[in-house]
Amino acid sequence: MKPGISDDGADCRAVADVLARVGDKWTVYIVRLLANGPMRFSEIRREVSAISQRMLSLTLRGLERDGLVTRTVIPTTPIRVDYELTKTGFTLLPTLNELGAWAVNHRLEIEVARQKFDSVNAGSKTLETLSRKKRSATLPPKLPRVIANRAREASTDQAS
């Protein structure tokens, strides 16, 4: 094991719990949007057009619960609600940039491995299950482009 990570089941559960939030389908996209500053619910919804209103609400509530986002109600008519990254939320950005850069740098290797696996396992239940999961995890059209652009920026910044 690496220093700082124990074999303790509680540590593993804690890490898995946080990774479940951070690795959620919509969390990365919403955190990246909020990196540019506070946004209203309707603004986020417009930017992430593929997300349902219910899913956006659940994701924002989860991020708020985990201390990554703050929700501010402004008593106007109509009521205005702003969402903003916390200090902890901002600390997540470098990690997301590195992960995005890793994904961009290794996407061809992963695609080759998938094609090899698919050809060896054609017709298997495992492949059918993975294909269903892949189809159900379709991201909004802008997301891969946004992540790729940010990852390239991060890797360029690290190279300089």
Side-chain angles (χ1 to χ4, degrees), residues 40 71-82:
R40 296 175 74 168
R71 178 180 185 267
T72 306
V73 178
I74 300 162
T76 58
T77 306
I79 292 176
R80 178 183 168 138
V81 180
D82 285 343

Side-chain angles (χ1 to χ4, degrees), residues 60-79:
L60 287 167
R61 297 282 287 180
L63 289 168
E64 183 181 8
R65 180 175 183 250
D66 290 345
L68 301 174
V69 167
T70 57
R71 178 180 185 267
T72 306
V73 178
I74 300 162
T76 58
T77 306
I79 292 176

Side-chain angles (χ1 to χ4, degrees), residues 41-107:
F41 183 92
S42 58
E43 293 172 317
I44 298 169
R45 180 87 201 298
R46 264 193 304 278
E47 287 293 320
V48 191
S49 58
I51 193 171
S52 69
Q53 185 168 337
R54 180 179 182 279
M55 195 72 223
L56 178 56
S57 292
L58 289 172
T59 303
L60 287 167
R61 297 282 287 180
L63 289 168
E64 183 181 8
R65 180 175 183 250
D66 290 345
L68 301 174
V69 167
T70 57
R71 178 180 185 267
T72 306
V73 178
I74 300 162
T76 58
T77 306
I79 292 176
R80 178 183 168 138
V81 180
D82 285 343
Y83 294 90
E84 183 174 12
L85 285 181
T86 62
K87 287 181 182 179
T88 304
F90 275 105
T91 65
L92 182 56
L93 293 171
T95 302
L96 291 178
N97 287 337
E98 284 187 40
L99 184 57
W102 181 89
V104 168
N105 291 334
H106 296 281
R107 73 179 183 269

Side-chain angles (χ1 to χ4, degrees), residues 28-29 31-36 93 96-98 100-101 104 143-157:
V28 173
Y29 201 38
V31 167
R32 299 297 303 150
L33 284 173
L34 293 176
N36 297 318
L93 293 171
L96 291 178
N97 287 337
E98 284 187 40
V104 168
L143 182 57
R145 196 174 40 224
V146 169
I147 291 174
N149 289 341
R150 300 272 166 88
R152 271 191 227 98
E153 291 169 8
S155 61
T156 303
D157 292 342

Side-chain angles (χ1 to χ4, degrees), residues 84-144:
E84 183 174 12
L85 285 181
T86 62
K87 287 181 182 179
T88 304
F90 275 105
T91 65
L92 182 56
L93 293 171
T95 302
L96 291 178
N97 287 337
E98 284 187 40
L99 184 57
W102 181 89
V104 168
N105 291 334
H106 296 281
R107 73 179 183 269
L108 294 176
E109 295 165 54
I110 292 168
E111 187 56 39
V112 167
R114 286 177 179 170
Q115 289 173 2
K116 183 179 176 182
F117 179 92
D118 292 352
S119 68
V120 169
N121 295 286
S124 74
K125 289 189 178 192
T126 302
L127 186 57
E128 290 174 22
T129 303
L130 290 172
S131 295
R132 270 196 304 273
K133 285 183 181 178
K134 186 177 178 183
R135 282 193 305 270
S136 69
T138 304
L139 296 171
K142 289 184 187 177
L143 182 57

